Amino acid sequence: MNKKLLIPKEIITADRGRNIFKNHAIEISDSNIERILPFEKELLNNYNGEIFFAGGLTVIPGFIQTHIHLCQTLFRGLADDLPLLDWLQQKIFPFEKAHNKNSLRISASLGINELILGGTTTILDMGTINHQEVIFEELTNSGIKAFAGKCMMDENDLFPSFKADTKDELERTYQLAKTFHQTSGGRINYGFAPRFVLSCSEALLKETVEMMKDFPGSIFHTHSSENKNEIAEVRKRYKKENIEYLNSISALHDHTVLAHCVHVNEEEIHLLKNKDARVAHCPSSNLKLGSGIANIPRYLKEGISVSLGADGAPCNNNLNAFVEMRLASLIQKPIHGASAMDAETTFRMATIEGAKALHLQNKTGSIEAGKKADLVFLNLKEYDQPLNEENVYSKIVYSASKQNVVHVMSEGEWIVKDGTSLIYNNEELYKKGKAELRELLKRVEEQ
Ligand code: GUN
Ligand code: FE
């Protein structure tokens, strides 16, 4: 058995009791947290494992982001300042269509690298239409925990050449789920990903709901109610609101994660609540695409599950959980008052609430005995000046960012040490990324 004893300044557990431990150590056996125990010097005598001193550092659970597009990382900065449907039509669909295996692999690697360097250890990824196995390979190799799935599209009025045949979409999805669901010791899982109502036939959506039954623990992941023009189109097609429509085809349940939920009426709020569907809130993306501001305080008041996501690099343009926490908190204050979305509530959305959204709360999302050792070590010293020593949630949510991430551990293995990725070589990734993007943009020209 591989044992480690980690000795930080403080442990922010995000557990049910909201415990913060000082002068404690975390003991790890293989991939699991064995126990949290008071630190005494005698512990060090003849300890038969790695002892890791992190005296000045604060340990938090790894962040969980419940809406990501790894395939889009390469497109950062190439699709700015457009609203959703133009952004998809003019930029994102042509770019995604032009991916080959090499460009997709580098896009996913760049995204995972950025995520882990920023302290994210679990994601729900939307995938892309072609070569999805490449994303699974990178997720598997990187050590990150993930739900992912092939993005499904069998209709596309915006960019008709970027879609696939319904039967093929379903068959490929079934094969991918069979190959990758519950692999790497349960670290990798399948997230069925019909992109959004406008890109999917009713037959495809209904078959997906049925298919999920063969893969217990899988997630139904889609975009919903992000943009006014999107929901107007859905209304025209089905005479229903977006979430109402998803409910009518049995796609709304406790394993459903809906990205955005910005434009939602009273009926739909009740549906979200009664069906226990989960909202992935993406504040940066909602602001940058001009989509709007989701009524998160209302969702929380209703007891609806809300977690956070950076969405894709070209609608953000960061994949940084700190940015999403800070914005999730700040954007609500002018609307709901300054006490809305306090720092601890927002911190929990980025950790334990993310785990609950994915039904991973017995595995991750908090620092507790029996859970996986998904840990992030932060250096928050610069925010102690002059007298902010005590409110650690304030430091994490309102002041800190990815430059404060020092070490990251996923399932008991170091993946970031001293701010350096142990999984990827940054320079190599950037060099390869540039070369692959150049080739991809040529393919876009030829489309
Ligand atoms: N709706 C459908 N596809 C997308 C996407 O790629 N990003 C966002 N933000 N919304 C979408
Ligand atoms: Fe998205």
Side-chain angles (χ1 to χ4, degrees):
M1 194 177 297
N2 185 353
K3 285 174 75 161
K4 292 186 183 75
L5 191 69
L6 313 176
I7 309 164
K9 171 186 165 198
E10 56 189 352
I11 304 164
I12 316 304
T13 63
D15 68 5
R16 204 171 293 205
R18 303 158 60 180
N19 282 299
I20 295 177
F21 295 111
K22 292 180 195 267
N23 302 313
H24 277 64
I26 304 173
E27 188 169 48
I28 292 167
S29 292
D30 294 331
S31 62
N32 289 320
I33 298 168
E34 183 81 21
R35 55 185 174 148
I36 299 170
L37 65 169
F39 176 68
E40 285 155 16
K41 284 224 171 71
E42 294 75 68
L43 272 177
L44 306 178
N45 298 340
N46 305 318
Y47 187 76
N48 70 346
E50 175 188 343
I51 296 178
F52 187 77
F53 290 102
L57 306 183
T58 301
V59 186
I60 62 171
F63 292 122
I64 296 170
Q65 296 204 47
T66 56
H67 183 63
I68 294 286
H69 297 254
L70 291 173
C71 75
Q72 294 177 3
T73 316
L74 216 46
F75 314 142
R76 183 194 329 258
L78 298 180
D80 291 334
D81 313 317
L82 290 166
L84 176 68
L85 299 180
D86 294 342
W87 179 84
L88 287 171
Q89 181 173 46
Q90 294 170 27
K91 305 286 182 178
I92 301 303
F93 285 158
F95 290 162
E96 275 191 43
K97 184 180 177 216
H99 259 315
N100 63 19
K101 285 187 180 196
N102 292 339
S103 60
L104 182 59
R105 186 177 303 282
I106 196 72
S107 188
S109 308
L110 280 162
I112 296 168
N113 196 46
E114 183 173 345
L115 287 161
I116 63 175
L117 284 168
T120 292
T121 54
T122 301
I123 60 170
L124 170 57
D125 186 72
M126 165 78 34
T128 188
I129 193 166
N130 297 315
H131 320 299
Q132 175 62 32
E133 68 284 358
V134 169
I135 295 182
F136 276 111
E137 284 161 19
E138 284 308 314
L139 291 168
T140 300
N141 294 338
S142 67
I144 201 168
K145 215 186 255 54
F147 278 82
K150 173 193 157 21
C151 173
M152 299 158 92
M153 303 212 279
D154 67 337
E155 293 188 355
N156 194 341
D157 290 346
L158 293 171
F159 194 65
S161 65
F162 191 44
K163 67 176 176 200
D165 172 72
T166 310
K167 208 161 144 263
D168 288 350
E169 285 292 71
L170 290 163
E171 268 172 27
R172 284 159 69 194
T173 293
Y174 193 86
Q175 285 311 319
L176 285 161
K178 235 172 87 179
T179 309
F180 293 105
H181 186 49
Q182 291 176 343
T183 54
S184 296
R187 184 166 59 76
I188 305 296
N189 285 287
Y190 206 81
F192 290 86
R195 190 166 194 141
F196 63 155
V197 171
L198 297 185
S199 75
C200 299
S201 67
E202 185 160 296
L204 178 104
L205 289 166
K206 283 181 165 170
E207 280 297 320
T208 304
V209 171
E210 281 306 305
M211 196 184 289
M212 277 185 74
K213 295 175 183 160
D214 287 352
F215 301 96
S218 63
I219 294 283
F220 183 97
H221 176 204
T222 193
H223 294 94
S224 181
S225 318
E226 176 178 6
N227 169 286
K228 279 193 179 156
N229 294 334
E230 168 207 7
I231 59 167
E233 245 345 277
V234 173
R235 200 179 290 133
K236 212 159 90 186
R237 229 188 248 193
Y238 293 112
K239 312 280 176 286
K240 286 187 174 72
E241 296 304 304
N242 202 337
I243 294 173
E244 202 189 343
Y245 172 68
L246 290 171
N247 183 54
S248 74
I249 54 162
S250 305
L252 210 62
H253 48 71
D254 70 348
H255 281 68
T256 301
V257 177
L258 302 181
H260 306 303
C261 298
V262 175
H263 301 284
V264 173
N265 69 19
E266 279 298 312
E267 265 324 283
E268 293 177 290
I269 291 177
H270 291 126
L271 282 173
L272 288 172
K273 178 179 173 168
N274 295 336
K275 300 290 174 170
D276 200 12
R278 283 96 211 274
V279 175
H281 176 40
C282 306
S284 295
S285 165
N286 295 162
L287 294 178
K288 184 155 183 284
L289 296 174
S291 302
I293 296 178
N295 193 346
I296 303 302
R298 174 73 194 282
Y299 297 163
L300 295 181
K301 200 168 134 219
E302 298 288 345
I304 295 166
S305 159
V306 181
S307 46
L308 295 178
D311 210 343
C315 60
N316 190 308
N317 293 359
N318 293 300
L319 303 178
N320 179 343
F322 292 96
V323 171
E324 300 317 307
M325 286 194 295
R326 182 177 155 83
L327 274 183
S329 183
L330 298 191
I331 60 175
Q332 302 296 342
K333 294 182 185 293
I335 306 167
H336 299 276
S339 51
M341 303 301 293
D342 63 89
E344 187 181 355
T345 300
T346 310
F347 174 74
R348 291 181 75 87
M349 271 172 34
T351 53
I352 187 63
E353 293 303 322
K356 287 185 196 164
L358 303 175
H359 299 265
L360 292 178
Q361 69 274 15
N362 294 328
K363 265 194 184 170
T364 191
S366 63
I367 305 179
E368 294 180 73
K371 291 203 184 185
K372 295 291 175 192
D374 296 338
L375 306 173
V376 177
F377 289 71
L378 302 176
N379 183 345
L380 301 174
K381 258 190 219 125
E382 64 183 294
Y383 312 120
D384 288 344
Q385 311 302 330
L387 281 177
N388 190 17
E389 185 75 49
E390 281 318 308
N391 192 344
V392 70
Y393 298 113
S394 164
K395 285 189 274 187
I396 296 168
V397 172
Y398 296 134
S399 302
S401 198
K402 63 179 181 183
Q403 75 273 7
N404 301 108
V405 172
V406 184
H407 315 296
V408 181
M409 176 181 274
S410 175
E411 304 211 345
E413 299 287 339
W414 295 110
I415 54 174
V416 173
K417 262 278 183 74
D418 297 312
T420 301
S421 173
L422 303 185
I423 307 299
Y424 296 106
N425 175 320
N426 291 356
E427 295 308 313
E428 222 169 82
L429 283 188
Y430 300 148
K431 214 170 102 191
K432 268 197 205 160
K434 271 193 179 157
E436 285 301 334
L437 180 60
R438 258 188 219 114
E439 294 301 309
L440 181 141
L441 291 175
K442 279 188 212 157
R443 296 195 293 274
V444 171
E445 286 299 306
E446 288 158 10
Q447 276 173 12

